[in-house]
Amino acid sequence: MIKTQTSFIQVENGSVGTPKGFHTGGQNIGLRTKRPDMGWIYSVTPASAAGVYTTNLFQAAPLQVTQASIAEEQKLQAVLVNTVSANSCTGQEGIDNAYTTRAWMAGHLGIPDHLVGVASTGVIGLQLQMDKMEKGIAAIALNEPKAPFEEAILTTDTKPKHLAVQFEIDGKKVTIGGACKGSGMIHPNMATMLGFVTTDAAVDPDALSHALKAAVNKTFNRITVDGDTSTNDMVLVLANGMAENKLLNEQHPEWQAFLKGLQMVCQGLAKFIAADGEGATKLIEVQVSGAKDDHSAEVISKSIVGSSLVKTAVFGSDANWGRVICAMGYSGESFDTNKVSMALGDIVLFKDGMPVAFDEEKATEYLNGDSVVIKTTLGEGNGEAVAWGCDLTYNYVKINASYRS
């Protein structure tokens, strides 16, 4: 029997270091002037590991190396992250450098090379500064980090992004924590950012991989900032088993509780990214219901939240329902347009295929808030989906016009 009455508690200031047995931290190693630029995650014991990776054909060197690490035995014990250089489009030298940093990290921690994953973020085409990487890795002190991990992985982000939840499985307290970075080059075509999730639950590696893919599809794959998919993006999850629950897999009676907890963390992180989009001032949530199935609802929700015209209308607090309807119409999904209704929050603008009278002042006031919910219903079936994005502002252009400077 599947247990459904599970209580989930969000941990105050929770992050990837909250689950039992994980050490995390960051420091400045000179890749940039002042801000932390290297971060790490370390588990006191090897952890079941799984990843989901960018679909961009120009897949960066660290992603290739991390996939090779996990392929050895579906485990990781540490993850090393650097900023400034994405180590992407760097040829064989970039691959060799990624393997070298993996070896340096493994040697510093006294663990096998294949138990280390590596990740990079920053400017595409820059080789790693290997002298600084070597000195930085040698200076890592697990118990005395100079900065939080979630701060060390940021690029154009305006704030750290992290959370954790706790609940019980087999009568044991289980924690799932996460941290991520992402502000630009965000689009629902795999995990378009860097995301790291840790848990002290004991989880079968294959089941963990399936769980991560399912969670990513409903969270990180439902966000967009600018329609671009990067070369370096991935989500990793590590489960070290220190909660001492019985091994979780699809047959475990409380498997659904674990899935829910994992999705809660991934969804929270995904929304943080959407809200912190480059230059953004507002989080946009698109709710689609009444579609013929969930897939159709997902496609339509992504079409709406990814529309530049919808995003600019939200930025300008313009209740232009026509832009939403157009984005639905070119989504590629079929539906009866005479059954479509649309609202901003609780303010109905469009009903049964026709515009309705609404209070423009109230709609503008609603759009002036920092969170906007666009609701659409199709009257076709029971399909539903939610997607998240942000407004498109002048500052987005300003930030990206001089990204390398």
Side-chain angles (χ1 to χ4, degrees), residues 10 14-16 149-150 153 157 159-165 176-183 186 193-198 212 216 219-221 223 234-236 261-277 283 388:
Q10 189 158 324
S15 188
V16 284
F149 172 82
E150 52 268 21
I153 63 177
D157 309 64
K159 63 190 74 173
K161 303 168 177 66
H162 57 94
L163 80 160
V165 298
I176 302 176
C180 64
K181 62 82 51 184
S183 193
I186 305 295
M193 24 49 71
L194 292 180
F196 306 94
V197 179
T198 58
L212 179 65
V216 165
T219 58
F220 293 117
N221 274 353
I223 60 174
M234 67 178 167
V235 178
L236 292 178
L262 181 62
Q263 184 167 325
M264 287 175 67
V265 170
C266 290
Q267 180 173 305
L269 295 176
K271 291 175 71 174
F272 289 158
I273 290 174
D276 194 33
L283 172 68
W388 299 272

Side-chain angles (χ1 to χ4, degrees), residues 3 168-172 244-248 252-254:
K3 182 178 178 181
E168 285 194 358
I169 289 181
D170 295 328
K172 307 288 187 179
E244 299 182 340
N245 59 285
K246 295 177 182 177
L247 187 69
L248 283 164
H252 191 289
E254 295 179 90

Side-chain angles (χ1 to χ4, degrees), residues 96-329:
D96 293 343
N97 286 342
Y99 274 111
T100 298
T101 57
R102 184 182 81 159
W104 285 341
M105 185 67 169
H108 182 67
L109 297 174
I111 62 177
D113 288 9
H114 71 271
L115 291 182
V116 176
V118 291
S120 300
T121 182
V123 178
I124 294 171
L126 290 182
Q127 296 288 353
L128 294 176
Q129 298 179 53
M130 295 300 284
D131 56 337
K132 294 179 180 179
M133 293 291 292
E134 183 176 21
K135 291 178 181 178
I137 292 169
I140 290 175
L142 295 178
N143 295 318
E144 297 180 1
K146 296 180 176 64
F149 172 82
E150 52 268 21
E151 291 183 9
I153 63 177
L154 304 182
T155 51
T156 58
D157 309 64
T158 66
K159 63 190 74 173
K161 303 168 177 66
H162 57 94
L163 80 160
V165 298
Q166 290 181 333
F167 53 102
E168 285 194 358
I169 289 181
D170 295 328
K172 307 288 187 179
K173 183 173 72 175
V174 166
T175 304
I176 302 176
C180 64
K181 62 82 51 184
S183 193
M185 298 187 80
I186 305 295
H187 192 59
N189 193 16
M190 214 319 286
T192 43
M193 24 49 71
L194 292 180
F196 306 94
V197 179
T198 58
T199 180
D200 47 22
V203 190
D204 172 79
D206 289 329
L208 185 65
S209 180
H210 295 320
L212 179 65
K213 291 175 182 176
V216 165
N217 281 337
K218 290 187 177 181
T219 58
F220 293 117
N221 274 353
R222 300 279 183 89
I223 60 174
T224 186
V225 169
D226 49 20
D228 279 300
T229 302
S230 179
T231 59
N232 286 61
D233 309 323
M234 67 178 167
V235 178
L236 292 178
V237 60
L238 279 68
N240 67 10
M242 295 199 69
E244 299 182 340
N245 59 285
K246 295 177 182 177
L247 187 69
L248 283 164
N249 55 32
E250 291 88 342
Q251 285 70 50
H252 191 289
E254 295 179 90
W255 176 243
Q256 292 300 318
F258 177 77
L259 291 182
K260 183 177 179 180
L262 181 62
Q263 184 167 325
M264 287 175 67
V265 170
C266 290
Q267 180 173 305
L269 295 176
K271 291 175 71 174
F272 289 158
I273 290 174
D276 194 33
E278 289 175 337
T281 64
K282 303 170 187 178
L283 172 68
I284 302 173
E285 178 172 300
V286 175
Q287 302 174 1
V288 176
S289 62
K292 60 185 178 183
D293 53 40
D294 288 349
H295 174 73
S296 180
E298 179 182 351
V299 171
I300 293 168
S301 67
K302 290 179 180 180
S303 185
I304 296 170
V305 81
S307 164
S308 294
L309 290 180
V310 170
K311 291 154 73 67
T312 52
V314 172
F315 171 60
S317 297
D318 178 16
N320 191 338
W321 54 266
R323 295 183 174 182
V324 176
I325 299 304
C326 283
M328 296 176 68

